[in-house]
Amino acid sequence: MDLRQALQAADIYRAASAEALAARLAVRPIDHEQRAAHGFAWVATTVAALDAVQAWCESGQGANPLDAKIAALAFAEGIGQLVGGLAMGQNEIFRPADLGVGAAARTLANSCSDLLDSDHAAMRAEIAAALADGHWPSETLHDADLDAIRDQFRRFTDAEIVPHAHGWHLANALIPDAAVRAMADLGTFGVCIPEDFGGLGLSKLVMCIVTEELSRGWIGAGSLGTRSEIAGELIAMGGTDAQKAHWLPRIASGEILPTAVFTEPDVGSDLGSLQTRARQEASGMWVIDGAKTWITHAARSDLMTLLARTLPDAKGYAGLSMLLVPKPRGTESDAFPAAGMSGSEIEVLGYRGMREYALQFDAMAAPADALLGGEEGEGFKQLMRTFEGARIQTAARAVGVARRALELGLDYALTRKQFGKAILHFPRVTDKLAMSLVDFVTARELSYAAARAKDSGRRCDIEAGMAKLLAARAAWSNADASLQIHGGNGYALEYEISRVLCDARILNIFEGAAEIQAQVIARGLIERRN
Amino acid sequence: MDLRQALQAADIYRAASAEALAARLAVRPIDHEQRAAHGFAWVATTVAALDAVQAWCESGQGANPLDAKIAALAFAEGIGQLVGGLAMGQNEIFRPADLGVGAAARTLANSCSDLLDSDHAAMRAEIAAALADGHWPSETLHDADLDAIRDQFRRFTDAEIVPHAHGWHLANALIPDAAVRAMADLGTFGVCIPEDFGGLGLSKLVMCIVTEELSRGWIGAGSLGTRSEIAGELIAMGGTDAQKAHWLPRIASGEILPTAVFTEPDVGSDLGSLQTRARQEASGMWVIDGAKTWITHAARSDLMTLLARTLPDAKGYAGLSMLLVPKPRGTESDAFPAAGMSGSEIEVLGYRGMREYALQFDAMAAPADALLGGEEGEGFKQLMRTFEGARIQTAARAVGVARRALELGLDYALTRKQFGKAILHFPRVTDKLAMSLVDFVTARELSYAAARAKDSGRRCDIEAGMAKLLAARAAWSNADASLQIHGGNGYALEYEISRVLCDARILNIFEGAAEIQAQVIARGLIERRN
Ligand SMILES: Cc1cc2nc3c(=O)[nH]c(=O)nc-3n(C[C@H](O)[C@H](O)[C@H](O)COP(=O)(O)OP(=O)(O)OC[C@H]3O[C@@H](n4cnc5c(N)ncnc54)[C@H](O)[C@@H]3O)c2cc1C
Ligand SMILES: Cc1cc2nc3c(=O)[nH]c(=O)nc-3n(C[C@H](O)[C@H](O)[C@H](O)COP(=O)(O)OP(=O)(O)OC[C@H]3O[C@@H](n4cnc5c(N)ncnc54)[C@H](O)[C@@H]3O)c2cc1C
Ligand SMILES: CC(C)(COP(=O)(O)OP(=O)(O)OC[C@H]1O[C@@H](n2cnc3c(N)ncnc32)[C@H](O)[C@@H]1OP(=O)(O)O)[C@@H](O)C(=O)NCCC(=O)NCCS
Ligand SMILES: CC(C)(COP(=O)(O)OP(=O)(O)OC[C@H]1O[C@@H](n2cnc3c(N)ncnc32)[C@H](O)[C@@H]1OP(=O)(O)O)[C@@H](O)C(=O)NCCC(=O)NCCS
C-alpha cells in the first residue's frame, strides 16, 4: 500500500482523537482524563513517527532495498497499535475505546486493511536475514559533512568506548579523564555552542548524531555531553554577554564540566515547586541553602547550573532563578571540597560513569554575577526552553542504546546454536531482531525530526517530548528483547546486554518521566501552542 | 456483560485460531510458523486465564465487591488483547492477522462490544482507591487449612524475609543457614513429599501458596524449595524404593539441599542434546565428565540431580539418564570440596541468595546406586514430567514477585507527593496499580488452575507452561510499572523495587524460556495430547 495514503488515514484518526479529547477536556480537567489525554499524546507521537519514517524512506529513493521493508513494517506495526492498542507502559495499553474513538479506528483499519490484514512473517525474516548478512538500512543524512561526523564518532566509539564501557560499568568507575579529554578533542562538548564562543556552531541534528554514536558504546559516554548541552543552551540563550564570554568557550573545550542541579528530594516532576533558597547578600554574593538530589556528575564538575528560589513571595515557578555556581572539582578522596556543600553518592542500576549524588547546601556561596542573564524569576522558563534540546539529546541517547541492544542481540543470535542451528533462524528470534531494527529506525527518524524542528528556531517541547517518549520505549523494548535472545547469559553481569538493559531503564524516568512528556505533548497539542 | 458469555465467545475465537494453525501446520513445519503457533499458544493461555478468573470470581459469590471489578477488567483487557494485540514480548505483538483469523476476531469483538467499547478509567480508579484503603480481592481457597497455611507463610515472610532480603541481595550473600533452617521447620522442602517419607504429603496447590508467599518476600526465598521440589518429584515418581527411603525424608526435612544440574554451556533450551558423559565402571560406580553451567545453589548443596548421557549410541534424549550424585557441601573458602568437581560463580542481575555456578566434572565419582529408578535412558522423560511441577512452582514464584511489585508501588504512590497530592491520585499511577492487581490475580488463578490439574494426576505440561508464561509476564510488567511509579528512586539500588525488577527478569528465561513454553503449549494443543 502507498505509505502516504496510510499516513493520511492515520492523520485523520489522530484528528478524530484530538477532537474527542478536546470534547472531554471541555468538561473535566486534564488530570482527570489522563489516560485519554496521554493516549492521545501517544497517538500523535505514533503518527509523527510514521511521518518521519515515510520521509526517510522517500528521501532514500529506493537505493537501499531494506528501507522500504522497514518502512512497511513500521507502518503495519504503528497503525496496528493505533487500532489495536498502544503500550504507554507494559500494563497501560491505550485503546480507541479509552477515548471513545472506536468508529474512527475502524475507519482507519479499513483504509489500511491491506497493511493490517497481512501476515508479515516473511518480511520480518527477510529483514533479519539482511541484518545477518551485514546489511543495515540507510542512515545517510544526504550531507557529506554530517555523514563524516557520524563516521568519525562511530570509529571513536568503537575504538575508545566499546572495549571499555562494560568494565567501567562493573567497576562503577568514573569515565576516565583521558576518555573525557578525547571526547572534548572531538568537539563533543561544544557541538551547538556558537563558533564565536569556541564551539562548533553546529545544529541539534549534529548533536543527535554525536550523541547517538557515543551512546551506542555506552550511555555514560553519550550522556557526558548532556550537562554541557544544558549549560551551553542556558547561557547561550539567556546569559549576559560577560557570562557567555566567560563560560561558553570553557564549556565548549571541555575545560569546564558542568552539572545540572534541579531536582530535590521532594520535588522531581513538579520542578516549579522547588524549595532550595538563594539569597543575595548586601555584597552582591549569593548564599544557597537547601537539598538537591539525583545530581549527575556532581563531584567531578566545575560549574553548577542551579535552579533555586530567590523570590520567595512569588508564586510557584515565578520565584525561581537560575544560578551559575562555580565549584572546585572533587577528587576520589574529597568529592566535595567546597565550603557549604556536601554530598553522598546514590548507587544505581545503570547509567554509571558520572555518578549520582544527593547534595546538601549550607550557606554555599556563589559570586555576584552568578544570576543567569542578570534577571530573577526567569529560571524556570529558561530551563524549560533548554529542556527541549536536552530531551532531544536524550532521545538520541535512547536511539544509541536501542541500536546497541540490537547489535548485541544480532551477534549473539548469529553465534549461539540450539536445536542444531543458529538461533537467528528461529522466527521468534528473527522477529525480535527485525522489530528492534524497525523501532530503532523509527525512533531515530523521529529524533531527527525533532532536532530539525529545534534547529528551525521555534518552540518545540511537543516534538522533543515525542522523540524522547518513543525513543525511550524503543531502547527499553530493544534491550528487553535482546536480553531474551541471550537466554540465561543475558542475566549474567559478564554479558554486556545485562548492562544495556539497566542503562535503558533510566530513559523513561529522567529528563522528564514518560508521563510528564505525554502530559506536555497532550497539553501542547490541545492548546495548539507550537 | 455476563462473563460466561464473554468466555464462550473467547473460546470460539481460540478454536478458530487452533483450526487456522492446524491448517498451516499441515503444509509447513512448526518451526517456520512460530509466530502463528506461539501466538496461538498465547491466545489459548489468555482464554485459560479468563476461565480461571471467572471461576475464581464466581466462587466468591460476590462477598468481596472488588472481585467482580477485577474480573471485569481482566476480561476487558484479555479480550482487548485477543482482538487488538497480545504482547508475547515487548516488540512481538501477536495480532489476529498473524494467523489469518481477522474475521473470527471481529466476531469476538462484536460479541463483547459492551466490554470492549467502554472506557474503564472509572473502574480502574475504584480499584486503586480500594487498594489505597487497604482492601484486597479475595484470596481464600475455600478451605480453612489452605488459608491457614497461606497465613502462616505470609507471617513468616513478613517477619523473617522481607526485612532482610534486600540487604542479602545487595551483599550477594547466601540466604543465611538460619533462614533455611526456619523454612525447613515450616515444612517448606517437603510440601509435596508423601507423608510416608517424612513430607507433608500436600498438593501442588499448597506448594503454590507456600512459594507465592515466600517469593513475595524474595524470589531467593521462594526458590530455595525449587530444587527440593525437582529432586523430590524425580525420586518420588521415578526412584527405586531404596532411593525413596534414603533421600526423600532428608530432602523433606531440609537436611539435604539438592541442586539441579541439567544445563550446559552449549545446551540450554535443547536439553535433549546434552553432552555430559557418565560411564559405569566395572565396580558399578559412575564416573562423570563434562561441563554444566547456570547451576543454582551448586556450592551449598548435598545432592545433585544430574542429567547425563550414559548411552552414547542412543539418539538424542534417549541416551540420557538421571543420576543422584551426593556431594559434600561447600564452604565460603572451599566452594567445591569434592574430587573431580570444580566450579566458578556466575554473577547475576538478580535471583541472588543461592548463587549460580559453572561446573566442571573430571572423573567425578557417583555411587553405584546413583541411577534414578535403576534404569538408563529414562532421564529426559523423568525430567520432563518433573518440569511440570517445577514450572507451576515457577509460576507461583512469579505471582509472588508480581504481588510484591504491586505492594511496593502502592506504598510509594501513597506517600510520594507531587503537584500537591499523593501521586496515587494521578490516573497514570492509578492505572498502573489497578492493572498490576488485575494481572497479579489473573496469573495467580491460572497458576492455581495448573496446580489443580497437576494434582488430578494427568500430564499437564500445557497447563504448567501456560501458568509460567503468563505469570512471568505479569511479574515483569508489574515490576516495570512499579519502578516507573517510583520515579528516579526506582533506579536507586537502595530501593527494593530496583531489586524486584532484576529478580523479575529471570522468570521469562529459566525453567524453559518463554519461547519454549509457547512451543510446548502450541504443540501440545495441536496434537491434542493432554
Ligand atoms: C540516574 C538519574 C540521573 C538524574 N540526573 C539528574 C541531574 O543530573 N539533575 C537533576 O536535576 N535531576 C536528575 N535526575 C532526576 C530526574 O530528573 C527525576 O528523577 C525525574 O524528573 C522524575 O522525578 P522524581 O524522581 O521525583 O519522580 P516523581 O516526580 O516523584 O514521579 C514519580 C512517578 O509519578 C509520576 N507522576 C508525577 N507527576 C505526575 C502527574 N502529574 N501525572 C501523572 N504521573 C505523574 C511520574 O511520571 C513517575 O512515574 C536524575 C535521575 C536519575 C534516576
Ligand atoms: C539465574 C539462572 C539460574 C538457573 N538455574 C539453573 C539450574 O539450577 N539448573 C539448570 O540446569 N539450569 C539452570 N539455568 C539455566 C536455564 O534453564 C537456561 O538458561 C534456560 O533453559 C535457557 O537456556 P539458554 O540460556 O541456553 O538459552 P538458549 O537455549 O541458548 O536460548 C537463547 C534464546 O533463543 C531462544 N530459543 C532457543 N531455542 C528456540 C527455538 N527452538 N525456537 C525459538 N526460540 C528459541 C530462547 O527462547 C532464548 O530466547 C539457570 C539460568 C539462569 C539464568
Ligand atoms: C511538568 C512541567 C512540564 C511543567 O509543568 P507546569 O508546572 O504545569 O508548568 P507549565 O507547563 O505551565 O509551564 C510554566 C511556564 O513555562 C512556559 N514554558 C514551558 N515550557 C516551555 C518551553 N519549552 N518554551 C518556552 N516556555 C515554556 C509555559 O508556557 C508557562 O508559561 P506561562 O505561565 O507564561 O504560560 C515541568 O515541571 C517539567 O518539565 N518537569 C519535569 C522535570 C524534569 O524534566 N527534570 C529533569 C531534571 S534533569
Ligand atoms: C524443548 C523441550 C520442551 C523438549 O523438546 P524436544 O527435544 O522436542 O522433546 P519432545 O517434546 O519431543 O519430548 C521428548 C519426549 O518426552 C516426552 N515428554 C515431554 N514432556 C513430557 C511430559 N511433561 N510428560 C511426559 N512425557 C513428556 C515426549 O512425549 C516425548 O516422548 P516421545 O518421543 O516418546 O513422544 C525441552 O528440551 C525443554 O523443556 N527445554 C527447556 C529446558 C529447561 O526447561 N531447562 C530448565 C533447567 S532448570
Side-chain angles (χ1 to χ4, degrees):
Chain A
M1 131 169 244
D2 186 312
L3 298 187
R4 278 169 178 269
Q5 276 168 25
L7 187 58
Q8 251 168 25
D11 202 51
I12 291 170
Y13 175 68
R14 191 198 52 73
S17 304
E19 218 173 286
L21 177 60
R24 289 200 184 195
L25 296 185
V27 274
R28 300 214 309 165
I30 191 166
D31 277 1
H32 291 251
E33 290 286 355
Q34 268 192 353
R35 169 88 145 223
H38 293 197
F40 165 66
W42 275 96
V43 167
T45 300
T46 304
V47 177
L50 295 182
D51 195 0
V53 167
Q54 194 269 333
W56 161 76
C57 187
E58 257 185 23
S59 77
Q61 300 185 311
N64 183 338
L66 251 184
D67 295 0
K69 290 178 189 168
I70 286 169
L73 270 192
F75 268 74
E77 184 62 34
I79 295 176
Q81 292 184 15
L82 290 178
V83 167
L86 252 167
M88 304 196 292
Q90 283 198 68
N91 72 8
E92 293 178 281
I93 319 288
F94 172 80
R95 299 196 181 83
D98 291 319
L99 198 44
V101 290
R106 277 186 291 277
T107 305
L108 171 59
N110 289 337
S111 331
C112 300
S113 60
D114 50 352
L115 259 182
L116 297 185
D117 294 348
S118 332
D119 175 357
H120 301 281
M123 201 179 277
R124 289 189 302 267
E126 287 166 29
I127 290 177
L131 273 177
D133 285 343
H135 302 298
W136 284 79
S138 309
E139 59 184 8
T140 175
L141 287 152
H142 308 289
D143 174 321
D145 289 341
L146 296 188
D147 291 345
I149 293 175
R150 183 197 293 285
D151 192 50
Q152 182 186 33
F153 276 87
R154 183 167 295 171
R155 280 184 285 110
F156 172 79
T157 299
D158 284 333
E160 305 298 334
I161 305 294
V162 168
H164 310 295
H166 200 56
W168 293 335
H169 165 83
L170 291 176
N172 191 26
L174 287 169
I175 305 175
D177 286 325
V180 177
R181 184 97 310 274
M183 286 169 61
D185 291 345
L186 287 176
T188 309
F189 304 122
V191 172
C192 297
I193 291 178
E195 283 183 281
D196 290 352
F197 294 105
L200 301 179
L202 295 171
S203 63
K204 296 293 174 202
L205 186 58
V206 175
M207 178 189 68
C208 280
I209 304 169
V210 166
T211 302
E212 186 186 321
E213 292 303 329
L214 291 170
S215 302
R216 189 178 61 81
W218 190 21
I219 192 171
S223 301
L224 254 180
T226 310
R227 272 141 292 281
S228 304
E229 159 72 17
I230 291 175
E233 280 259 308
L234 279 171
I235 296 168
M237 290 197 309
T240 61
D241 288 344
Q243 286 166 337
K244 290 182 195 172
H246 180 75
W247 292 114
L248 291 178
R250 294 176 170 83
I251 292 170
S253 71
E255 174 195 337
I256 289 271
L257 294 178
T259 178
V261 188
F262 314 133
T263 305
E264 300 184 351
D266 292 332
V267 175
S269 297
D270 182 16
L271 211 50
S273 72
L274 65 79
Q275 296 303 329
T276 293
R277 278 284 274 131
R279 287 166 238 261
Q280 199 164 20
E281 298 202 325
S283 68
M285 288 272 292
W286 293 89
V287 178
I288 304 161
D289 289 281
K292 294 282 184 181
T293 194
W294 280 116
I295 308 307
T296 302
H297 223 178
R300 188 180 54 172
S301 54
D302 316 286
L303 168 66
M304 298 189 274
T305 51
L306 185 147
L307 192 62
R309 195 162 291 282
T310 64
L311 301 168
D313 298 334
K315 259 185 67 180
Y317 76 78
L320 303 182
S321 304
M322 187 64 71
L323 299 178
L324 305 175
V325 186
K327 66 175 271 293
R329 207 177 264 217
T331 61
E332 279 287 335
S333 60
D334 186 4
F336 297 101
M341 175 177 183
S342 58
S344 55
E345 186 178 348
I346 306 172
E347 288 187 86
V348 277
L349 280 174
Y351 191 66
R352 299 184 184 160
M354 293 171 289
R355 300 203 183 132
E356 321 304 321
Y357 296 89
L359 300 180
Q360 182 67 41
F361 296 104
D362 297 297
M364 163 94 183
D369 61 358
L371 183 66
L372 183 70
E375 238 186 297
E376 286 188 69
E378 290 298 313
F380 190 75
K381 287 196 186 180
Q382 287 166 334
L383 184 59
M384 285 298 133
R385 279 191 292 270
T386 297
F387 273 164
E388 295 178 3
R391 286 170 184 169
I392 294 169
Q393 204 261 354
T394 303
R397 291 190 272 177
V399 170
V401 171
R403 174 162 175 147
R404 185 67 189 153
L406 166 58
E407 290 175 356
L408 292 171
L410 176 62
D411 283 356
Y412 195 84
L414 281 166
T415 51
R416 176 71 176 174
K417 288 199 180 69
Q418 283 298 283
F419 300 97
K421 53 184 168 187
I423 59 172
L424 180 103
H425 298 295
F426 290 110
R428 288 297 302 278
V429 175
T430 305
D431 286 359
K432 289 180 179 74
L433 294 171
M435 292 314 297
S436 291
L437 179 59
V438 168
D439 288 345
F440 152 67
V441 170
T442 305
R444 185 186 70 188
E445 295 307 318
L446 188 64
S447 76
Y448 294 167
R452 290 186 183 107
K454 180 77 187 164
D455 285 329
S456 79
R458 56 185 171 82
R459 174 167 174 175
C460 69
D461 50 346
I462 296 174
E463 292 83 348
M466 286 179 167
K468 179 181 184 277
L469 195 61
L470 197 79
R473 187 178 73 174
W476 181 234
S477 60
N478 280 16
D480 192 16
S482 180
L483 192 145
Q484 187 68 17
I485 289 172
H486 282 71
N489 285 337
Y491 206 62
L493 295 189
E494 178 189 343
Y495 279 78
E496 198 181 328
I497 189 63
S498 71
R499 181 197 88 233
V500 172
L501 185 87
C502 291
D503 287 346
R505 190 60 187 83
I506 190 56
L507 292 154
N508 255 327
I509 297 174
F510 69 7
E511 299 293 342
E515 293 75 11
I516 298 303
Q517 304 305 338
Q519 185 90 353
V520 166
I521 296 164
R523 273 174 44 179
L525 288 175
I526 286 293
E527 294 165 11
R528 298 172 185 284
R529 218 178 35 212
N530 305 16
Chain B
M1 128 167 247
D2 186 312
L3 298 186
R4 278 169 178 269
Q5 277 169 23
L7 188 58
Q8 252 168 24
D11 202 52
I12 291 170
Y13 175 69
R14 191 197 53 73
S17 304
E19 220 173 285
L21 178 60
R24 289 198 182 197
L25 297 186
V27 275
R28 299 214 311 164
I30 190 166
D31 277 1
H32 291 250
E33 289 287 356
Q34 269 193 352
R35 169 87 145 224
H38 293 196
F40 164 65
W42 275 96
V43 167
T45 299
T46 304
V47 176
L50 295 181
D51 195 359
V53 167
Q54 194 269 332
W56 161 76
C57 187
E58 255 184 24
S59 78
Q61 300 186 309
N64 183 338
L66 251 184
D67 296 359
K69 291 178 188 166
I70 286 169
L73 271 192
F75 269 74
E77 184 62 33
I79 296 176
Q81 292 184 14
L82 290 178
V83 168
L86 253 165
M88 304 197 293
Q90 283 198 68
N91 72 8
E92 291 178 284
I93 319 289
F94 172 80
R95 299 197 180 83
D98 291 319
L99 198 44
V101 289
R106 277 186 290 277
T107 305
L108 172 58
N110 289 336
S111 327
C112 299
S113 60
D114 49 352
L115 259 182
L116 298 184
D117 294 348
S118 334
D119 174 357
H120 301 281
M123 202 180 275
R124 289 190 301 268
E126 288 166 28
I127 290 177
L131 272 177
D133 285 344
H135 301 299
W136 285 79
S138 308
E139 61 184 8
T140 177
L141 287 152
H142 308 289
D143 175 321
D145 289 343
L146 297 188
D147 291 345
I149 293 174
R150 182 196 293 283
D151 192 50
Q152 183 186 28
F153 276 86
R154 182 166 297 170
R155 279 184 285 111
F156 172 80
T157 300
D158 283 333
E160 306 298 334
I161 305 296
V162 168
H164 310 296
H166 199 57
W168 293 334
H169 165 83
L170 291 177
N172 190 26
L174 286 169
I175 305 176
D177 286 325
V180 177
R181 185 96 311 274
M183 286 168 62
D185 291 346
L186 286 175
T188 309
F189 304 121
V191 172
C192 296
I193 292 179
E195 282 184 282
D196 290 352
F197 294 105
L200 301 180
L202 295 172
S203 63
K204 296 291 175 204
L205 186 58
V206 174
M207 179 191 67
C208 280
I209 304 170
V210 166
T211 302
E212 186 186 321
E213 292 302 328
L214 291 170
S215 302
R216 189 178 61 82
W218 190 22
I219 193 171
S223 301
L224 254 179
T226 310
R227 272 141 292 282
S228 303
E229 159 72 16
I230 290 175
E233 280 258 308
L234 279 171
I235 296 168
M237 289 198 310
T240 62
D241 287 344
Q243 286 168 335
K244 289 183 197 174
H246 180 74
W247 293 113
L248 291 178
R250 293 177 170 81
I251 293 170
S253 71
E255 176 194 335
I256 290 270
L257 295 178
T259 178
V261 187
F262 314 132
T263 305
E264 300 184 351
D266 291 332
V267 175
S269 297
D270 182 16
L271 211 50
S273 73
L274 64 80
Q275 296 303 332
T276 293
R277 277 284 275 132
R279 286 166 239 262
Q280 199 163 21
E281 299 204 323
S283 67
M285 287 272 292
W286 292 90
V287 178
I288 305 161
D289 288 283
K292 295 282 184 180
T293 194
W294 279 116
I295 309 307
T296 302
H297 223 178
R300 188 179 55 172
S301 54
D302 317 285
L303 170 67
M304 298 189 275
T305 52
L306 184 147
L307 192 63
R309 194 163 292 281
T310 64
L311 302 167
D313 298 333
K315 257 186 68 180
Y317 75 80
L320 303 182
S321 304
M322 186 65 70
L323 298 178
L324 304 175
V325 186
K327 65 174 272 293
R329 206 178 265 217
T331 60
E332 280 287 334
S333 59
D334 187 3
F336 297 101
M341 175 179 183
S342 57
S344 55
E345 186 178 347
I346 307 171
E347 286 188 87
V348 277
L349 279 175
Y351 191 66
R352 300 184 184 160
M354 292 172 291
R355 299 201 183 134
E356 321 304 320
Y357 297 89
L359 300 181
Q360 183 66 40
F361 296 104
D362 297 297
M364 163 94 181
D369 62 358
L371 182 65
L372 183 71
E375 240 186 297
E376 286 188 69
E378 289 298 312
F380 190 75
K381 286 197 186 180
Q382 287 166 334
L383 184 59
M384 285 297 133
R385 280 191 291 270
T386 296
F387 273 164
E388 295 178 3
R391 286 169 184 170
I392 294 169
Q393 203 261 353
T394 303
R397 291 190 271 178
V399 171
V401 171
R403 175 163 175 146
R404 186 67 189 154
L406 166 58
E407 290 175 355
L408 292 171
L410 177 62
D411 284 356
Y412 196 83
L414 282 166
T415 49
R416 175 71 177 176
K417 289 198 179 69
Q418 282 300 282
F419 299 98
K421 54 184 169 189
I423 58 172
L424 179 103
H425 298 296
F426 289 109
R428 288 297 302 278
V429 176
T430 305
D431 286 359
K432 289 180 179 75
L433 294 171
M435 293 315 296
S436 291
L437 180 59
V438 167
D439 288 345
F440 151 68
V441 170
T442 305
R444 185 185 70 189
E445 295 307 317
L446 188 64
S447 75
Y448 293 167
R452 290 188 183 105
K454 180 77 186 164
D455 285 328
S456 78
R458 56 187 172 82
R459 174 167 174 176
C460 69
D461 50 346
I462 297 174
E463 292 83 347
M466 287 178 167
K468 179 182 183 277
L469 195 60
L470 197 77
R473 187 178 73 175
W476 181 234
S477 60
N478 280 16
D480 192 15
S482 181
L483 192 145
Q484 187 67 17
I485 289 173
H486 282 72
N489 285 337
Y491 205 63
L493 296 189
E494 177 189 344
Y495 279 79
E496 198 179 330
I497 189 64
S498 71
R499 181 196 90 233
V500 173
L501 184 88
C502 291
D503 287 346
R505 190 60 187 82
I506 189 56
L507 291 154
N508 256 326
I509 297 174
F510 68 7
E511 300 293 342
E515 293 76 11
I516 297 303
Q517 303 305 336
Q519 185 91 351
V520 167
I521 296 164
R523 273 174 44 179
L525 288 175
I526 287 293
E527 295 165 8
R528 297 175 186 283
R529 219 179 35 214
N530 305 16

